[in-house]
Amino acid sequence: MSQRQIILDTETTGLHADMGDRMVEFAGLEMVNRHFTGTNLHLYIHPERDMPEDAAAVHGLTIEVLEEKKAPPFAKVGQQIAEFLRGAELIIHNARFDVGFLNMEFQRM
């Protein structure tokens, strides 16, 4: 039986999912048996709120950039993210942060 893993990272409008900050980017790479498969998911997400300058300084994304990229709100891509993650072991550098934002966004859906 193969072991599927997803290495993921997110970018956000700030540090506090429980205080109104939102996800603005999702990136995940798939591995099976610790070998990259070439399958990945990269999405820009419109936060439906302002982008603080300090957050934009970290990841380079502004509301204008997200709108140029036609970034949808999380509600439009949440199912796609859930399907990509389903059944996989997650590998995340700062898991408490990223999982907190994913959980908050899924709850908002």
Side-chain angles (χ1 to χ4, degrees), residues 29-102:
L29 300 172
E30 181 187 65
M31 293 192 313
V32 174
N33 295 325
R34 302 215 181 263
H35 292 91
F36 288 107
T37 65
T39 300
N40 64 75
L41 181 63
H42 179 246
L43 300 166
Y44 292 106
I45 302 164
H46 196 293
E48 302 180 288
R49 56 155 287 169
D50 67 310
M51 179 72 71
E53 287 183 24
D54 56 337
V58 171
H59 49 58
L61 297 172
T62 63
I63 295 300
E64 294 77 23
V65 167
L66 292 170
E67 288 175 351
E68 286 174 16
K69 295 180 179 294
K70 298 182 180 2
F74 189 89
K76 298 275 187 190
V77 297
Q79 187 65 36
Q80 184 180 7
I81 292 171
E83 289 171 12
F84 182 71
L85 298 177
R86 192 174 330 278
E89 174 187 14
L90 303 180
I91 301 172
I92 311 168
H93 171 69
N94 190 357
R96 182 174 296 192
F97 179 84
D98 292 323
V99 170
F101 271 90
L102 284 165

Side-chain angles (χ1 to χ4, degrees), residues 7-25:
I7 301 169
L8 72 84
D9 189 31
T10 66
E11 297 297 343
T12 67
T13 62
L15 302 176
H16 306 285
D18 59 343
M19 295 175 59
D21 285 318
R22 301 290 304 271
M23 189 179 305
V24 297
E25 187 175 16

